[in-house]
Amino acid sequence: GVPLAGAIAAELAGEVPRTFEDYLFRGEVFCAVGDPRGLGDLEKAIDLRPASPLAWLAVAEARSMAALDADGAEAAREAVRS
């Protein structure tokens, strides 16, 4: 649940991601707890492996959730462009 994700996020905050998997995992965890660094990590994962459907799905999901939270038309358009 969220308390576990928060504990994992706190631990990951002190780590330096190096690989595609590092960025993908940390991005997913940060997004799960509402940390805005999550989307940046997911976008870095795409930079490292642009053909990864899993990374694109994670970015689309993160942008969609951000659009719901922002309740703004531009955020919704950005989520759809993913």
Side-chain angles (χ1 to χ4, degrees), residues 6-66:
I8 294 170
E11 185 175 332
L12 290 174
E15 300 293 322
V16 177
R18 292 180 178 85
T19 66
F20 164 81
E21 290 82 3
D22 292 345
Y23 281 101
L24 184 65
F25 181 71
R26 193 173 86 158
E28 287 278 26
V29 171
F30 282 173
C31 285
V33 297
D35 187 320
R37 294 176 291 180
L39 184 56
D41 280 354
L42 294 174
E43 289 172 341
K44 178 64 177 177
I46 286 177
D47 289 343
L48 294 171
R49 196 173 295 167
S52 170
L54 183 58
W56 283 105
L57 175 63
V59 167
E61 180 180 29
R63 287 181 180 162
S64 296
M65 297 310 293

